[in-house]
Amino acid sequence: MKEPLMLSIDGMHCAACVRRVTDALQRVVGLQLDSVEVGSAKMAFNPAETTADNIAAVVNGIGFHAHIDQ
């Protein structure tokens, strides 16, 4: 069963930023990406394959700062 996840992402300013985040998140196993916009991303993930912290770390690893929205 997939769990929903919303991330707030600091440091995104343009379409190129959206593309970088989208490309990085699409490589995460167990993640179903719904949308990425400047400042946020909406998705669902399989907790047997990844975690919300891991997903945020992927975004942080490409130079942005992701916050998990509760």
Side-chain angles (χ1 to χ4, degrees):
M1 184 156 169
K2 297 205 180 227
E3 293 187 23
L5 176 64
M6 281 287 297
L7 295 178
S8 295
I9 306 170
D10 296 333
M12 294 176 71
H13 303 289
C14 63
C17 296
V18 170
R19 181 95 233 101
R20 282 184 61 207
V21 170
T22 300
D23 289 347
L25 290 174
Q26 286 178 331
R27 291 191 292 269
V28 177
V29 175
L31 185 140
Q32 178 186 340
L33 191 57
D34 292 329
S35 65
V36 178
E37 299 174 2
V38 172
S40 67
K42 181 179 177 183
M43 66 210 74
F45 69 97
N46 181 341
E49 296 180 285
T50 192
T51 65
D53 288 336
N54 180 58
I55 295 165
V58 166
V59 175
N60 294 340
I62 60 169
F64 299 99
H65 189 72
H67 308 274
I68 299 169
D69 292 345
Q70 298 297 333

